[in-house]
């Protein structure tokens, strides 16, 4: 899929969307002030789109006017989505001084932190959250498109797979790493919260390959040391992949199901070193302040969501468990290095 908005004149928004199916007529969904107003089909043919082989007919241009979208002229918020993929195509800039360029925040935790997202959302023309769930084709459009001149992207992606697209002076990459044991505890509790869904044949599809792992947790009590040890001895493959050095997997492999070897930890460290801004969750203020300074954002530093007491307690149990220590050996080395580097500069 490719997309571009030619102009927004208030009373008229004109752009084009090239669907993945070269025979399909592109359709967009128009949302005004948070309310879905209408779906529009492309009505105009562009011969250059057909000539470049992107689409069989070139019928990919849409126009949104007062006739099709009542109130579009005066609306402060106008969003246009591709009707088939629900990918944001265009968002009327909420403020005149939007940040120019692309900023990628790589989520390294299973629980995405919304503190930074809530502040940066309004400062970019277009924002994309949860990008790890998007297809390769859509991700490459978001990373490569020269027309997305003000965009904030956030999500859990396998970084080496896309690092080649993170080039140029106007593309800033950032990552906030977490304590490995706290992250493992968060992932265990994430699985536990989805036990019923994973065990329900009618609902398990929602979890994909993690359904078995979620259902497996039903028989184990993470507050009990012996039960926790049995859990690690009996792990299904999907749970093992979720828990085994997830940070190293994210930065050291090209596919989520790649086998993780010691050499991948070296690759992960090298790629992490090429990220523009890297911080540690223990020094969230330092990370946020550095990011805001780089982007010229004048706003109070937000407070991250507190880590639940149950998660902290489970993390402490995991720190003394040999199975957990062995499963996180690469991640511990990486995050300790980041934490030491940040602490030297921030504690002065």
């Amino acid at each position: 899929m490719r997309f571009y908005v030619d102009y927004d004149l208030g009373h008229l928004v004109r752009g084009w969307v090239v669907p993945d199916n070269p025979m399909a007529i592109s359709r967009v969904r128009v949302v005004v002030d948070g309310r879905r107003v209408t779906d529009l089909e492309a009505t105009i043919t562009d011969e250059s789109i057909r000539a470049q082989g992107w689409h069989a007919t070139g019928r990919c241009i849409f126009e949104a006017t007062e006739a099709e979208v009542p109130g579009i002229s005066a609306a402060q918020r106008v969003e246009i989505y591709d009707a088939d993929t629900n990918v944001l195509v265009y968002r009327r800039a909420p403020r005149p001084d939007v940040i120019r360029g692309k900023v990628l925040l790589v989520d390294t935790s299973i629980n995405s932190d919304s503190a930074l997202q809530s502040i940066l959302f309004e400062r970019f023309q277009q924002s994309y959250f949860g990008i790890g769930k998007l297809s390769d084709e859509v991700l490459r459009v978001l990373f490569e498109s020269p027309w997305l001149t003000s965009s904030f992207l956030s999500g859990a992606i396998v970084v080496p797979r896309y690092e080649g697209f993170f080039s140029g002076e106007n593309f800033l990459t950032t990552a906030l790493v977490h304590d490995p044991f706290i992250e493992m505890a968060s992932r265990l509790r994430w699985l536990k919260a989805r036990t019923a869904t994973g065990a329900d044949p009618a609902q398990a599809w929602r979890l994909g390959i993690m359904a078995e792992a979620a259902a497996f947790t039903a028989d184990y009590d993470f507050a009990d040391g012996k039960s926790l040890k049995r859990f690690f001895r009996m792990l299904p493959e999907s749970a093992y992949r979720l828990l085994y050095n997830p940070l190293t997997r994210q930065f050291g492999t090209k596919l989520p199901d790649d086998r993780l070897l010691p050499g991948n930890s070296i690759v992960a460290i090298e790629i992490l070193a090429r990220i523009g801004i890297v911080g540690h969750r223990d020094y969230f203020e330092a990370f946020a302040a550095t990011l805001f300074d780089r982007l010229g954002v004048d706003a109070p530093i937000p407070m991250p969501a507190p880590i639940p007491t149950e998660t902290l307690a489970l993390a402490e149990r995991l720190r003394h468990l040999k199975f957990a220590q062995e499963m996180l050996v690469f991640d511990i080395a990486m995050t300790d290095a980041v934490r030491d580097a940040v602490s030297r500069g921030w504690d002065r």
Side-chain angles (χ1 to χ4, degrees):
M1 185 186 77
R2 295 177 173 87
F3 56 83
Y4 173 59
V5 169
D6 293 300
Y7 46 77
D8 179 354
L9 302 178
H11 67 283
L12 167 64
V13 180
R14 184 181 192 272
W16 51 264
V17 175
V18 182
D20 292 330
N21 182 351
M23 297 299 296
I25 298 175
S26 61
R27 297 181 305 114
V28 296
R29 179 170 301 121
V30 184
V31 177
V32 176
D33 293 331
R35 180 174 59 88
R36 177 177 172 179
V37 176
T38 188
D39 287 5
L40 299 176
E41 279 193 354
T43 57
I44 302 174
T45 298
D46 187 329
E47 284 298 324
S48 64
I49 292 177
R50 185 189 61 78
Q52 292 182 69
W54 292 353
H55 194 263
T57 67
R59 184 178 166 185
C60 300
I61 299 178
F62 67 87
E63 288 187 342
T65 67
E66 281 286 343
E68 297 88 8
V69 188
I72 193 172
S73 301
Q76 294 295 312
R77 291 181 176 274
V78 176
E79 296 168 326
I80 298 175
Y81 298 84
D82 176 63
D84 295 324
T85 64
N86 204 38
V87 172
L88 178 66
V89 172
Y90 173 75
R91 177 178 180 236
R92 180 170 288 173
R95 49 194 295 165
D97 57 339
V98 293
I99 297 170
R100 292 299 168 187
K102 296 181 182 180
V103 175
L104 169 66
L105 174 60
V106 180
D107 278 346
T108 62
S109 175
I110 198 166
N111 296 319
S112 179
D113 197 322
S114 61
L116 292 172
Q117 294 179 358
S118 61
I119 291 179
L120 295 179
F121 174 76
E122 291 293 336
R123 287 172 166 78
F124 288 86
Q125 180 166 359
Q126 295 174 210
S127 296
Y128 299 86
F129 301 143
I131 62 173
K133 299 177 182 179
L134 300 177
S135 67
D136 276 357
E137 293 77 11
V138 173
L139 278 177
R140 291 180 180 183
V141 169
L142 299 183
F143 293 146
E144 287 188 298
S145 175
W147 302 298
L148 294 177
T149 58
S150 173
S151 58
F152 175 61
L153 307 103
S154 175
I157 61 170
V158 180
V159 179
R161 186 174 181 84
Y162 303 103
E163 191 190 17
F165 302 108
F166 308 156
S167 60
E169 296 180 356
N170 293 323
F171 201 127
L172 174 64
T173 53
T174 70
L176 183 69
V177 303
H178 297 246
D179 176 278
F181 292 102
I182 292 179
E183 180 58 26
M184 178 179 274
S186 297
R187 289 171 182 245
L188 287 172
R189 296 192 68 230
W190 183 92
L191 284 174
K192 196 71 169 177
R194 288 156 180 79
T195 297
T197 301
D200 184 355
Q203 298 290 324
W205 63 270
R206 298 180 183 276
L207 298 177
I209 62 173
M210 298 311 302
E212 179 189 6
F216 174 77
T217 63
D219 297 329
Y220 298 91
D221 179 6
F222 295 152
D224 179 77
K226 292 182 179 180
S227 181
L228 197 55
K229 289 179 181 179
R230 289 198 303 272
F231 173 83
F232 279 100
R233 283 197 295 265
M234 303 297 291
L235 276 180
E237 180 66 19
S238 56
Y240 179 82
R241 289 186 178 277
L242 182 71
L243 300 173
Y244 182 73
N245 290 298
L247 184 65
T248 302
R249 183 178 299 281
Q250 189 172 5
F251 283 87
T253 63
K254 288 193 174 182
L255 291 172
D257 57 352
D258 280 352
R259 186 181 179 188
L260 193 59
L261 302 172
N264 294 111
S265 66
I266 298 174
V267 174
I269 291 172
E270 292 176 346
I271 290 181
L272 188 64
R274 293 197 288 267
I275 298 295
I277 299 175
V278 179
H280 194 289
R281 178 60 161 69
D282 290 353
Y283 288 84
F284 183 88
E285 182 183 359
F287 177 75
T290 303
L291 178 59
F292 285 8
D293 180 70
R294 179 73 174 272
L295 298 178
V297 173
D298 183 14
I301 301 300
M303 293 296 294
I307 300 172
T309 303
E310 295 84 352
T311 300
L312 293 174
L314 177 54
E316 283 305 308
R317 287 191 287 274
L318 293 170
R319 291 184 201 278
H320 303 289
L321 194 62
K322 184 179 179 181
F323 287 104
Q325 295 169 6
E326 293 175 346
M327 290 185 71
L328 296 175
V329 62
F330 302 147
D331 282 11
I332 291 171
M334 287 179 63
T335 54
D336 281 353
V338 172
R339 193 181 191 285
D340 289 346
V342 175
S343 65
R344 285 197 298 270
W346 194 252
D347 286 340
R348 292 174 182 174

